[in-house]
Amino acid sequence: MKELGQLIELQKIQDPRGNLTVAEGITQIPFDIARAYWVYDVPGGESRGGHAHKRLKQLVIATSGSFTVTLDNGKERKKYLLNHPWQGLLIDTGIWRTLDDFSSGAVCLVLASHRFEEEDYIYDYDEFLKYVGCSK
């Protein structure tokens, strides 16, 4: 069974003029970054994610505010509260993810190992369970 995420501490450069955090592919993140996107203005009570990937790996960062990421490998679930912009959650392939409990003004930055490919997504949870070799 795949590990349910890994928190990665990114380089945090403290400066009285404002802090800086760096995320470099291969150096700090175990993949080349092929795509970056961010989610924001999530209405209260809404959820994002609700899928898994066959090839794509991601690093999820709360650049502002906070939210909860729930990871599921078909056998177990684990929740992560993301609320530090110098910390990212590494999500491997074959892991179901949901993002909930967005604070007001939260911004979720995602660094991805591949460009968008619709066929890489698994949106149905039962299909996901079959994909990872688990049955209900």
Side-chain angles (χ1 to χ4, degrees), residues 11-30:
Q11 181 182 8
K12 179 181 178 184
I13 301 165
Q14 295 187 352
D15 187 307
R17 301 169 299 162
N19 297 331
L20 173 74
T21 294
V22 177
E24 294 180 349
I26 301 300
T27 305
Q28 296 167 303
I29 303 167

Side-chain angles (χ1 to χ4, degrees), residues 31 33-39 56 59 108-116:
F31 55 79
I33 301 166
R35 183 169 156 238
Y37 62 92
W38 43 101
V39 178
L56 183 128
L59 186 72
C108 169
L109 171 65
V110 180
L111 304 177
S113 64
H114 292 79
R115 294 180 180 270
F116 176 80

Side-chain angles (χ1 to χ4, degrees), residues 15-91:
D15 187 307
R17 301 169 299 162
N19 297 331
L20 173 74
T21 294
V22 177
E24 294 180 349
I26 301 300
T27 305
Q28 296 167 303
I29 303 167
F31 55 79
D32 280 324
I33 301 166
R35 183 169 156 238
Y37 62 92
W38 43 101
V39 178
Y40 55 95
D41 292 341
V42 178
E46 286 298 320
S47 180
R48 297 293 309 217
H51 62 269
H53 291 280
K54 299 172 187 172
R55 294 185 339 126
L56 183 128
K57 297 178 183 183
Q58 296 176 316
L59 186 72
V60 178
I61 304 165
T63 57
S64 181
S66 66
F67 52 88
T68 301
V69 181
T70 304
L71 300 182
D72 179 336
N73 63 10
K75 294 278 189 196
E76 58 184 316
R77 288 186 179 155
K78 187 170 182 179
K79 290 183 180 277
Y80 293 89
L81 174 64
L82 297 184
N83 59 358
H84 300 297
W86 64 86
Q87 191 176 63
L89 178 61
L90 182 63
I91 305 175

